[in-house]
Amino acid sequence: MTTTSQQELFRFLEDRFACAQACTECARACAMRASLVDPDGAENQELVRRKGILCAEVCDATCRVLSEQNQVDEATIRIQVEWCRQVCLESAQTFDEHSGAEQAAQACRACARACTEFLATLN
C-alpha cells in the first residue's frame, strides 16, 4: 500500500467516524427536542416533533450503516448518508423557526456538514 493510498484510507476512516459521531449527537439532540414538544400542541409544534423524531431515526440508522464495516456496499452508504444530510438540513430549517430549538438546529447542521465531508471522500 502506498503512502497516498494509506492517507486516503485514514481520511476515509476518520471522516466515516466523524460522520457517525455527528449522527449520534444529532439523533440525541433531535430526540430530546421532540420529547420537549407537547404532542397535543399547535400545528407548528407538531411539525417540530415529527421532524425531530424523523431526524433522530434517520441519524440513528445512518450511524448503524456507518458502523457496519464491510457489510454494506458503497452505493448503500452513499444513499443513506445523502438522505441523512437532507433530513438534517430540513430539520435545522424547521428548528430555526421554533424558539428553544437552537441546539438541535446546530446539531443538525453539524451532522449535515459531516455527511457532506464524508460523501466527498467517496468520490
Side-chain angles (χ1 to χ4, degrees), residues 54-107:
L54 174 65
C55 193
E57 289 176 351
V58 171
C59 285
D60 184 55
T62 303
C63 185
R64 282 195 313 273
V65 165
L66 292 171
S67 299
E68 297 172 359
Q69 289 300 341
N70 294 325
Q71 299 172 4
V72 181
D73 63 26
E74 185 177 323
T76 302
I77 292 171
R78 184 182 304 278
I79 290 166
Q80 182 68 41
V81 172
E82 178 58 35
W83 183 35
C84 184
R85 189 183 75 77
Q86 286 294 101
V87 168
C88 285
L89 291 174
E90 290 172 12
S91 297
Q93 289 175 343
T94 300
F95 295 152
D96 284 341
E97 299 171 8
H98 193 270
S99 178
E102 295 83 8
Q103 185 178 2
Q106 289 174 350

Side-chain angles (χ1 to χ4, degrees), residues 3-85:
T3 303
T4 302
S5 60
Q6 284 179 332
Q7 290 172 340
E8 290 171 352
L9 176 61
F10 289 144
R11 177 159 184 236
F12 170 81
L13 293 173
E14 287 174 349
D15 287 351
R16 186 174 179 151
F17 177 76
C19 188
Q21 187 174 17
C23 287
T24 298
E25 292 169 13
C26 185
R28 188 176 309 120
C30 287
M32 178 65 75
R33 175 51 37 206
S35 72
L36 295 174
V37 177
D38 181 8
D40 298 322
E43 185 177 326
N44 68 339
Q45 289 183 342
E46 176 60 21
L47 177 63
V48 167
R49 192 172 79 73
R50 283 186 287 126
K51 284 288 187 178
I53 292 169
L54 174 65
C55 193
E57 289 176 351
V58 171
C59 285
D60 184 55
T62 303
C63 185
R64 282 195 313 273
V65 165
L66 292 171
S67 299
E68 297 172 359
Q69 289 300 341
N70 294 325
Q71 299 172 4
V72 181
D73 63 26
E74 185 177 323
T76 302
I77 292 171
R78 184 182 304 278
I79 290 166
Q80 182 68 41
V81 172
E82 178 58 35
W83 183 35
C84 184
R85 189 183 75 77

